[in-house]
């Protein structure tokens, strides 16, 4: 079975609630050369570092698992950061759809 990065984006009533990124792309057999995983990690960690109000989020970062979750209304700045992250991840999915899937739940 092919490994894959699974991204789940959840919003309720038009407001961001959670994004969870799980798995490994395994897009190459050469250790340390997985461009898909490197891109997903860079985009995601960069977005987390850019949050204006990180204290209102529950943030989990483990090997192969990142989750950003909140039950509060987020600032416009943080909404733009998360939206930009999702656009960048969708761009990777467009090019490397065998290794990354994005699901949105409303």
């Amino acid at each position: 079975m092919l490994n894959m990065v699974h991204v789940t984006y959840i919003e309720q009533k038009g407001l961001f609630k959670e994004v969870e990124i799980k798995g490994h792309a395994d897009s190459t057999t050469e250790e340390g050369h997985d461009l898909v995983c490197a891109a997903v990690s860079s985009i995601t960690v960069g977005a987390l570092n850019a949050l204006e109000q990180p204290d209102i989020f529950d943030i989990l970062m483990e090997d192969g698992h990142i989750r950003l979750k909140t039950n509060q209304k987020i600032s416009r700045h943080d909404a733009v950061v998360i939206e930009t992250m999702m656009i960048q991840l969708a761009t990777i999915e467009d090019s490397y759809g065998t290794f990354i899937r994005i699901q949105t739940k409303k």
Side-chain angles (χ1 to χ4, degrees), residues 45-62:
V45 172
L48 294 178
N49 287 334
L51 292 173
E52 180 179 56
Q53 298 176 301
D55 53 316
I56 70 164
F57 295 94
D58 173 26
I59 300 172
L60 169 73
M61 289 183 33
E62 298 175 345

Side-chain angles (χ1 to χ4, degrees), residues 31-44:
E31 188 173 331
H33 290 87
D34 192 327
L35 295 178
V36 175
C37 273
V40 169
S41 294
S42 295
I43 289 166
T44 306

Side-chain angles (χ1 to χ4, degrees), residues 3-61:
N3 287 333
M4 177 178 283
V5 175
H6 295 275
V7 179
T8 304
Y9 176 88
I10 301 171
E11 64 179 47
Q12 292 175 345
K13 298 180 183 176
L15 298 176
F16 171 80
K17 291 297 173 191
E18 179 177 349
V19 64
E20 185 170 40
I21 301 163
K22 293 176 85 171
H24 291 283
D26 291 334
S27 65
T28 184
T29 57
E30 292 184 57
E31 188 173 331
H33 290 87
D34 192 327
L35 295 178
V36 175
C37 273
V40 169
S41 294
S42 295
I43 289 166
T44 306
V45 172
L48 294 178
N49 287 334
L51 292 173
E52 180 179 56
Q53 298 176 301
D55 53 316
I56 70 164
F57 295 94
D58 173 26
I59 300 172
L60 169 73
M61 289 183 33

